[in-house]
Amino acid sequence: MTPEDSHQDIREAVRRLCTRFPGSYWQALDRERAYPAGFVKALTYEGWLSVLIPEAYGGAGLPLSAAAAVLEEIHRSGGNGAACHAQMYTMGVVLRHGSDAQKQLWLPQIASGELRLQAFGVTEPSSGVDTTRIATFARRDGDRYIVRGQKIWTSRAEYSDLMVLLCRTTPREEAARPSEGMSVLLVDMREAPGLTIRPIRTMLNHATTELFFDDVEVPAGNLVGEEGRGFRYILDGMNAERILIGAECIGDGRFFVDRASAYAREREVFGRPIGRNQGVQFPIARAHVQIEAAAGMVARATDLYDGGRPCGTEANMAKLLASEASWFAADMCLQTHGGFGFAEEYDIERKFRETRLYQTAPIPTNLILSHVATHVLGLPKSF
Ligand SMILES: Cc1cc2nc3c(=O)[nH]c(=O)nc-3n(C[C@H](O)[C@H](O)[C@H](O)COP(=O)(O)OP(=O)(O)OC[C@H]3O[C@@H](n4cnc5c(N)ncnc54)[C@H](O)[C@@H]3O)c2cc1C
């Protein structure tokens, strides 16, 4: 079953919700780089952001395939789930590794939407993709940690109450292995003197920021799991994130193919629809083929994930294929629309900018290729 065939009831409900947020809504926000508060409120109110939280904590307790369906439909409708997709899965680190007390305290509030946990700070300016080089440090002082350091590209920090922070609790040189000595803290950003949030304006409307921690105090009770094992906990959550980003790319790709097909059928030049020319229709068909192939890989990774089986490689491959297929579809759609593709009111140029992100974040294509080369094909590691 491809993702398109699954969860029809969810898909229809999300599509209906999205009709209340048409292109003009997203265009106005994009112009101002403003947060889609109304859209996020509607998704929260209808329960779509808590589908992955178990019923015992007030969520719907649905599998990852349901969350993938929600995000794919948002993107296929011309919207963008990035403003809130992390509210769906960031809580996974608490669910999998938090104490009972932490789960009881936070998960019901996240499920109801009264608490937003949709910021996660991993990337730092000087570490890049080499996460073991992060330098933000949490020093234990009695019943609290004192955090100093800097994060970059922490998205949604201004629209989140809690953030998942990966930091060092043991310097890299003193840890048994580079991947050890990092810990996950839940930082309550509503009461964090010393925390400065600076928005970064980017080529897309993404509410991303840089954060400065100047001796920010975090209660020791906000440590998730064991001190020093945080890198492993963050890695655990990455498969879900990659699969869901893959689903968003599939939604984008289907949006572009739908729009290009419709335009190519209607637009007449030289007295006939442009879509009658094979030079126009073949790229549309190719984009469709690539999206469907990528959707198959997203479905496979999702099935493995939902079956509790290892899926690291499949999740990575799904994200790579889906992000490249959506980018090809974006370029094709822009070309199909001629000059009109560049006009704001068609939504193509906005979606084109938005879908480009996913070849870089949350992990760049090169790092996925490196994983496949070394972990799957047995080639020597280059770094
Ligand atoms: C809009 C946006 C939102 C983001 N949101 C978040 C967020 O919420 N939280 C968070 O923690 N991070 C976030 N990120 C960060 C994102 O995950 C990183 O930008 C991404 O992982 C790349 O890291 P970098 O920018 O430091 O690139 P660098 O590590 O500097 O890499 C630059 C380029 O070099 C390549 N490269 C590096 N080393 C190698 C190698 N050994 N072999 C081959 N190629 C290599 C990379 O693939 C990349 O293309 C976001 C980024 C953006 C742009």
Side-chain angles (χ1 to χ4, degrees):
M1 183 180 276
T2 71
E4 204 174 12
D5 301 319
S6 65
H7 300 294
Q8 277 310 329
D9 46 344
I10 292 179
R11 288 172 184 277
E12 276 161 30
V14 172
R15 267 180 226 149
R16 246 192 331 273
L17 183 152
C18 289
T19 58
R20 287 158 35 206
F21 302 93
S24 54
Y25 172 80
W26 295 101
Q27 289 156 23
L29 294 168
D30 184 64
R31 237 171 268 138
E32 305 296 325
R33 293 295 190 270
Y35 190 72
F39 174 71
V40 175
K41 195 171 166 195
L43 280 178
T44 308
Y45 180 75
E46 292 194 14
W48 299 120
L49 299 184
S50 58
V51 290
L52 295 176
I53 300 180
E55 287 175 285
Y57 300 109
L62 294 174
L64 194 70
S65 57
V70 170
L71 292 172
E72 186 196 316
E73 291 305 327
I74 291 171
H75 280 248
R76 185 172 190 168
S77 79
N80 195 297
C84 52
H85 57 199
Q87 176 80 0
M88 285 176 148
Y89 57 79
T90 312
M91 62 80 207
V93 71
V94 179
L95 182 63
R96 279 188 299 274
H97 304 289
S99 65
D100 278 346
Q102 288 173 335
K103 288 189 236 184
Q104 297 290 352
L105 175 65
W106 285 316
L107 293 180
Q109 296 183 67
I110 296 169
S112 72
E114 71 197 87
L115 196 67
R116 296 165 304 169
L117 170 54
Q118 52 174 354
F120 53 94
V122 174
T123 313
E124 297 188 4
S126 53
S127 66
V129 285
D130 187 359
T131 305
T132 67
R133 300 264 173 203
I134 62 167
T136 298
F137 199 87
R139 175 173 57 82
R140 181 77 186 248
D141 179 14
D143 60 357
R144 60 200 181 142
Y145 286 95
I146 312 285
V147 182
R148 272 193 92 78
Q150 188 185 346
K151 293 286 173 184
I152 192 163
W153 308 119
T154 309
S155 302
R156 300 162 296 272
E158 298 160 288
Y159 306 97
S160 199
D161 302 307
L162 298 182
M163 81 173 285
V164 164
L165 176 71
L166 183 70
C167 51
R168 281 233 159 252
T169 38
T170 304
R172 191 177 191 270
E173 320 70 72
E174 292 170 28
R177 277 200 295 263
S179 59
E180 290 180 16
M182 286 177 271
S183 302
V184 169
L185 295 179
L186 276 176
V187 179
D188 192 333
M189 294 190 290
R190 295 165 299 181
E191 39 190 69
L195 174 63
T196 306
I197 304 177
R198 253 190 232 153
I200 305 175
R201 194 177 164 94
T202 60
M203 68 184 257
L204 73 168
N205 184 15
H206 198 84
T208 198
T209 68
E210 57 184 331
L211 302 182
F212 301 88
F213 294 82
D214 188 6
D215 290 342
V216 174
E217 291 187 16
V218 179
N222 288 19
L223 172 75
V224 177
E226 281 176 51
E227 194 179 280
R229 294 173 62 83
F231 187 59
R232 193 176 307 242
Y233 303 157
I234 293 290
L235 281 183
D236 275 357
M238 286 179 172
N239 292 337
E241 180 181 55
R242 282 166 202 177
I243 291 169
L244 293 178
I245 297 292
E248 293 188 344
C249 293
I250 299 301
D252 283 345
R254 288 182 170 147
F255 165 88
F256 291 122
V257 170
D258 292 347
R259 287 293 183 94
S261 306
Y263 190 79
R265 278 193 297 268
E266 282 161 21
R267 171 75 171 165
E268 294 205 0
V269 183
F270 294 112
R272 58 185 184 164
I274 57 167
R276 192 177 288 170
N277 303 302
Q278 291 184 329
V280 174
Q281 64 179 227
F282 282 7
I284 305 176
R286 182 177 294 279
H288 173 74
V289 170
Q290 291 181 181
I291 289 293
E292 292 311 304
M297 183 55 83
V298 173
R300 186 165 145 204
T302 310
D303 282 349
L304 289 171
Y305 185 96
D306 283 336
R309 310 218 342 249
C311 64
T313 296
E314 289 78 6
N316 272 302
M317 295 198 301
K319 205 282 287 186
L320 184 152
L321 287 174
S323 63
E324 291 189 346
S326 73
W327 176 240
F328 178 85
D331 194 41
M332 169 284 290
C333 191
L334 192 72
Q335 194 68 15
T336 303
H337 278 75
F340 292 106
F342 294 83
E344 264 182 12
E345 65 172 291
Y346 280 75
D347 295 309
I348 311 300
E349 59 83 31
R350 173 178 57 82
K351 293 282 286 177
F352 174 95
R353 286 182 278 118
E354 288 173 357
T355 213
R356 182 59 181 83
L357 173 65
Y358 295 134
Q359 289 178 73
T360 295
I363 182 177
T365 303
N366 272 0
L367 270 287
I368 295 179
L369 292 173
S370 164
H371 168 90
V372 172
T374 57
H375 286 76
V376 181
L377 306 178
L379 293 164
K381 203 164 175 181
S382 68
F383 54 89

